[in-house]
Amino acid sequence: MTRLTAIFLFLTACCTGAWTQAVSYSGYMIQGGHIYGHTDPGAVVRFDERNIPVNARGHYFIGFGRDEMLQHTLAITSPDGRTENSNITLEPGTFNIQRLTGIAPNMVNPPEAVKARIAREIEEVFLARSEYREDDAFLQPFIWPLFGPITGVYGSQRFYNGEPKNPHFGVDVARPTGTPVYAPANGMVVLAEPDLYFSGGTVIIDHGFRLSSTLMHLSEVSVQKGQQIVQGQMIGRVGATGRVTGPHLDWRMNWQDVRIDPAYLVPDMKDICDVQNFQSRKQNVILIHGLGRTSRSMQSMQRFLQDQGYNVCRIDYPSQEYPVETLASYLSNSIARIERHNSQPIHLVTHSLGGILARYSLQYMSLPANSRIVMLSPPNHGSEIIDRFQKWKLFSRIMGPAALQLSTATDSLPNMIPGIKAEFGIITGSDSSDPWFNWLFDETTDGKVTVTSARLAGMKDFLVLPVGHTMIMNNQRVQKETLFFLRHGRFMPD
């Protein structure tokens, strides 16, 4: 957040009476999209006429089909009996339609001899997806099961000789036969079949609350039905099995009986670390910017670390558009992509909100051995600025759902997610970069985060320097201390 924005928000909050409740859901309000929501534990959630399962902490998930109606009602009844209704308006999706003529009939419809087999397999898949498990893996930042060229997208449909065929409900990623395919999130394998008629080698993973991944056309299935697996675990290899014309992975997602677009659960591949120019013998560093900033804010740190011999990637994520649960996927995918490229350590250098994304991602995945993390001014226990302005309409509109999660309340997201298993150190500031906020704090602050809030149990070292929050990453002393910690696991001795 820039100084000008901070001043503007401050004046607006002081001079208007626009008071609103916090956003209860966010995501992709579009056909094929989905939303994540949060309400009081024990609340009852209904989406139109459908009861929505809610986990013990009040989290829920709703998916939208390809041909979903555009107008919906979300009703939430709190434990005390009060009901709040919200109208949800979806954007229409744009889908690729192809019309092919002169196609031989035997290439359009399967032969009569295999129809009984197809019916059995459809029933088997339906039963696998119908299982209900209360697994919170649905809240995990999803990763691409395979990185490569996209050759097929959700919602596309072909008409053969004027006859409409079923739309394509997955994302196709092309790679050579034998390329490993990985689990996009934790879950239980509910189907593992080496040779289904249409989809060939097929694995279905239940992520909890009726959200499941289907991975198809595998040349090898490496897991078994009933097996509990973790994100990033190899589940099979790319193949050309089933009804296909070449080797690729078809990744599909289902929520209950709704087919949703997997591409909305992960960032576009162009927005995560590109490893093409990474040297395999060098250690890696991922830089994660803060709230209201872009990756450009980490350019100086990038140049400094590259000069010291590291592969460096700056993630550019839309910090003001989505909650932490969604934004963390940018980091999770970058870690996964680099890890599949080489076996060197993957260090993280985070600024502000970026530290919370790191903590959220690392609940579910681990960094390679000898990786370290330096957090710059992280709001590990929230910020009093959020406490003061989170209910002001303009503030929430500008700063977005992730900002609203950073309060100092004991049940706020930073105070609920666990610490970090990797070695990490924290640098924070004692000079306020935003003096107009100083009246909100009762102790030393860098302008956004207090020294106390920046601390986190398990840290290997902690350093307070006379710098402010906004530009801490550009300070030469901070950069040198960051380098020293990445190399030695501690900051420079006095």
Side-chain angles (χ1 to χ4, degrees):
M1 182 165 58
T2 65
R3 291 189 180 194
L4 182 60
T5 301
I7 294 172
F8 178 65
L9 290 172
F10 174 75
L11 292 174
T12 302
C14 290
C15 302
T16 69
W19 185 265
T20 185
Q21 292 184 340
V23 176
S24 60
Y25 60 86
S26 61
Y28 297 88
M29 269 71 84
I30 187 171
Q31 290 175 325
H34 64 273
I35 59 174
Y36 289 95
H38 183 257
T39 185
D40 296 328
V44 175
V45 178
R46 286 181 62 82
F47 179 66
D48 295 333
E49 302 303 315
R50 189 190 293 257
N51 288 322
I52 304 302
V54 181
N55 79 353
R57 293 179 290 153
H59 295 280
Y60 59 91
F61 181 99
I62 298 173
F64 312 121
R66 176 187 185 273
D67 301 311
E68 192 82 50
M69 296 186 302
L70 301 183
Q71 300 296 326
H72 300 274
T73 300
L74 179 66
I76 299 178
T77 303
S78 62
D80 63 9
R82 292 181 295 109
T83 298
E84 179 181 351
N85 293 319
S86 298
N87 294 321
I88 295 179
T89 301
L90 303 182
E91 297 178 32
T94 302
F95 307 112
N96 181 33
I97 305 297
Q98 293 181 311
R99 300 180 185 275
L100 305 177
T101 58
I103 307 299
N106 64 337
M107 297 298 295
V108 177
N109 297 306
E112 199 69 33
V114 299
K115 288 188 176 180
R117 173 190 173 184
I118 292 171
R120 289 194 306 270
E121 293 175 352
I122 289 174
E123 178 67 13
E124 184 180 4
V125 169
F126 173 80
L127 291 175
R129 288 180 177 148
S130 298
E131 296 184 19
Y132 177 76
R133 296 174 55 253
E134 293 188 354
D135 188 332
D136 285 349
F138 78 100
L139 292 172
Q140 190 171 1
F142 278 63
I143 62 173
W144 282 95
L146 182 70
F147 294 105
I150 302 296
T151 56
V153 295
Y154 173 93
S156 57
Q157 186 176 25
R158 286 180 174 178
F159 286 68
Y160 291 104
N161 303 330
E163 179 184 349
K165 307 306 293 182
N166 288 333
H168 184 249
F169 289 111
V171 176
D172 292 341
V173 185
R175 289 296 300 276
T177 296
T179 304
V181 175
Y182 301 92
N186 297 350
M188 177 178 285
V189 177
V190 292
L191 184 139
E193 290 290 340
D195 184 28
L196 298 183
Y197 180 78
F198 283 114
S199 58
T202 304
V203 172
I204 299 180
I205 305 169
D206 181 354
H207 305 295
F209 291 86
R210 298 286 304 279
L211 182 68
S212 65
S213 291
T214 303
L215 304 120
M216 301 159 52
H217 308 306
L218 303 172
S219 62
E220 175 187 314
V221 172
S222 306
V223 292
Q224 297 178 341
K225 182 178 179 179
Q227 183 177 346
Q228 192 74 34
I229 58 174
V230 297
Q231 184 178 68
Q233 180 175 340
M234 195 180 97
I235 58 90
R237 295 183 182 274
V238 172
T241 57
R243 297 265 288 188
V244 296
T245 57
H248 71 281
L249 172 72
D250 184 347
W251 176 31
R252 303 191 177 196
M253 294 293 302
N254 280 64
W255 172 72
Q256 299 192 15
D257 58 351
V258 178
R259 300 174 185 268
I260 64 175
D261 188 347
Y264 288 123
L265 282 159
V266 288
D268 192 304
M269 289 190 203
K270 66 179 177 56
D271 295 328
I272 57 181
C273 287
D274 184 353
V275 299
Q276 290 184 7
N277 297 319
F278 275 24
Q279 297 182 34
S280 61
R281 295 182 180 180
K282 289 185 177 182
Q283 296 188 10
N284 311 287
V285 180
I286 301 176
L287 304 179
I288 312 131
H289 64 78
L291 179 65
R293 310 298 296 275
T294 69
S295 66
R296 289 192 299 273
S297 66
M298 305 295 279
Q299 277 182 328
S300 177
M301 181 69 79
Q302 179 183 24
R303 288 192 294 268
F304 175 76
L305 293 175
Q306 283 177 333
D307 289 344
Q308 305 304 317
Y310 291 93
N311 296 319
V312 183
C313 164
R314 291 180 287 133
I315 299 175
D316 211 349
Y317 67 94
S319 64
Q320 293 164 276
E321 295 184 25
Y322 303 107
V324 167
E325 293 87 343
T326 299
L327 299 176
S329 184
Y330 287 79
L331 175 57
S332 297
N333 276 274
S334 294
I335 294 171
R337 194 175 206 174
I338 295 173
E339 193 169 24
R340 295 175 200 176
H341 178 73
N342 67 39
S343 58
Q344 295 295 321
I346 302 174
H347 307 296
L348 309 181
V349 178
T350 74
H351 177 226
S352 192
L353 173 64
I356 306 305
L357 302 192
R359 288 176 57 195
Y360 195 90
S361 287
L362 295 178
Q363 295 179 93
Y364 302 104
M365 65 191 315
S366 299
L367 295 172
N370 301 316
S371 301
R372 295 188 173 111
I373 304 168
V374 176
M375 308 172 80
L376 307 178
S377 294
N380 280 321
H381 300 284
S383 172
E384 285 81 354
I385 294 175
I386 306 302
D387 297 344
R388 178 64 180 84
F389 298 120
Q390 65 182 330
K391 292 186 178 180
W392 292 94
K393 186 178 295 184
L394 186 59
F395 182 90
S396 61
R397 184 182 303 139
I398 292 175
M399 301 314 298
L404 303 182
Q405 295 176 288
L406 303 181
S407 78
T408 65
T410 56
D411 61 350
S412 70
L413 185 138
N415 285 310
M416 295 296 290
I417 55 179
I420 300 174
K421 296 177 182 178
E423 283 191 348
F424 69 99
I426 297 172
I427 305 175
T428 195
S430 58
D431 283 1
S432 176
S433 59
D434 305 84
W436 41 86
F437 286 141
N438 287 354
W439 61 281
L440 294 172
F441 302 99
D442 295 327
E443 60 175 285
T444 302
T445 175
D446 65 1
K448 301 283 193 344
V449 178
T450 66
V451 170
T452 298
S453 182
R455 292 180 177 273
L456 186 65
M459 58 189 177
K460 294 296 183 181
D461 209 346
F462 185 76
L463 184 62
V464 181
L465 296 176
V467 294
H469 186 94
T470 303
M471 304 301 292
I472 186 173
M473 74 295 286
N474 294 332
N475 182 276
Q476 291 184 1
R477 170 77 185 278
V478 169
Q479 292 178 356
K480 291 178 181 178
E481 294 283 1
T482 297
L483 174 66
F484 197 87
F485 189 93
L486 296 184
R487 288 177 172 173
H488 305 287
R490 57 185 175 87
F491 296 121
M492 292 186 289
D494 295 334

